[in-house]
Amino acid sequence: MRKLATIFFISGAPVLMSFNAPVSNAPSFKNEAAPVAFKVDGAKSKVAWLAKKVTGSHNGSISISGGDLQVDGSTLKGGTFTIDTRSMTVEDIKDANGNARLLNHLKSDDFFSVEKHPNATFTITSAKKKSGNEYDITGNLTIKGITQPITFPASVVVNGNQLNAKAAITIDRTKFDIKYRSKSFFENLGDKAIYDDFTIDVELVANK
């Protein structure tokens, strides 16, 4: 009887082990590569601004101090860039005194308060590819320490180790507490009124 019991136990062990072995139904995932960071080249990137008033307009430039853009293959996924507000220039006024007067006013607390807020930033929250190189970009724009969401179309081209992006962005200055001579807040301004919207044309160059 002992021999029979021993034989039964040994022969039955594999069967018991097969019942007791855990079965994993968890799906297997392949490791997905993380998006690659492209560093914004401030020296090659540029921003041109245009602001209009009842009697005309002014334009100039401002520098990008840095940033990173996240790319998956050839598709933009996210990122951020920073503008140095202290680098603002006026290009349409050729008279040195007149140029300096407007520039100093734009840098003052009536407008961008550049000493208190030397940086403006934009952070992408959504990059929706429409077709080809065209995107709808949504993100958070911070000016004078105030953050507001904005959406705009952009063209983004990734060629090897370089990314080139272009966008024309319309900004309502009053959302960032820039209300000087705004008809939305002050009456009877006449031809002294300055329109609320201004535009920036952004060209970014970034490298892997």
Side-chain angles (χ1 to χ4, degrees):
M1 288 294 293
R2 257 183 213 174
K3 288 184 179 180
L4 287 174
T6 303
I7 293 169
F8 175 78
F9 176 78
I10 294 172
S11 63
V15 176
L16 291 172
M17 289 177 65
S18 67
F19 276 104
N20 292 330
V23 178
S24 175
N25 293 321
S28 59
F29 295 98
K30 293 181 179 179
N31 291 329
E32 295 183 2
V36 176
F38 280 62
K39 187 174 182 60
V40 174
D41 187 337
K44 294 181 179 179
S45 302
K46 57 185 179 179
V47 176
W49 63 265
L50 173 66
K52 296 182 179 181
K53 55 184 181 178
V54 172
T55 57
S57 64
H58 294 294
N59 67 277
S61 65
I62 192 165
S63 298
I64 292 177
S65 56
D68 290 286
L69 300 175
Q70 305 300 317
V71 178
D72 183 0
S74 61
T75 302
L76 178 67
K77 290 296 185 180
T80 184
F81 64 87
T82 301
I83 293 173
D84 181 359
T85 60
R86 296 165 298 183
S87 68
M88 187 185 310
T89 68
V90 174
E91 296 179 355
D92 63 292
I93 299 177
K94 304 307 177 185
D95 173 71
N97 291 331
N99 188 299
R101 186 163 52 250
L102 175 59
L103 183 58
N104 288 335
H105 195 192
L106 291 174
K107 291 182 175 183
S108 75
D109 290 343
D110 280 342
F111 289 94
F112 294 95
S113 303
V114 302
E115 292 305 319
K116 297 176 184 175
H117 304 283
N119 294 315
T121 61
F122 178 71
T123 301
I124 297 171
T125 57
S126 172
K128 294 182 179 179
K129 197 169 190 178
K130 296 188 294 185
S131 62
N133 300 319
E134 303 304 313
Y135 289 76
D136 279 330
I137 303 294
T138 297
N140 293 320
L141 176 64
T142 302
I143 299 174
K144 293 181 70 173
I146 299 169
T147 301
Q148 296 285 347
I150 60 170
T151 299
F152 54 87
S155 172
V156 181
V157 178
V158 179
N159 186 7
N161 292 328
Q162 188 173 86
L163 178 150
N164 295 85
K166 293 183 179 181
I169 306 171
T170 299
I171 301 167
D172 180 349
R173 64 187 176 96
T174 64
K175 291 184 176 181
F176 302 92
D177 196 31
I178 305 173
K179 301 172 183 176
Y180 183 79
R181 290 188 182 175
S182 165
K183 291 191 294 184
S184 299
F185 295 89
F186 302 99
E187 298 179 352
N188 304 317
L189 289 172
D191 63 3
K192 296 184 182 295
I194 300 171
Y195 296 118
D196 291 345
D197 288 348
F198 71 96
T199 60
I200 58 172
D201 290 331
V202 180
E203 295 185 21
L204 296 180
V205 178
N207 299 295
K208 191 188 297 186

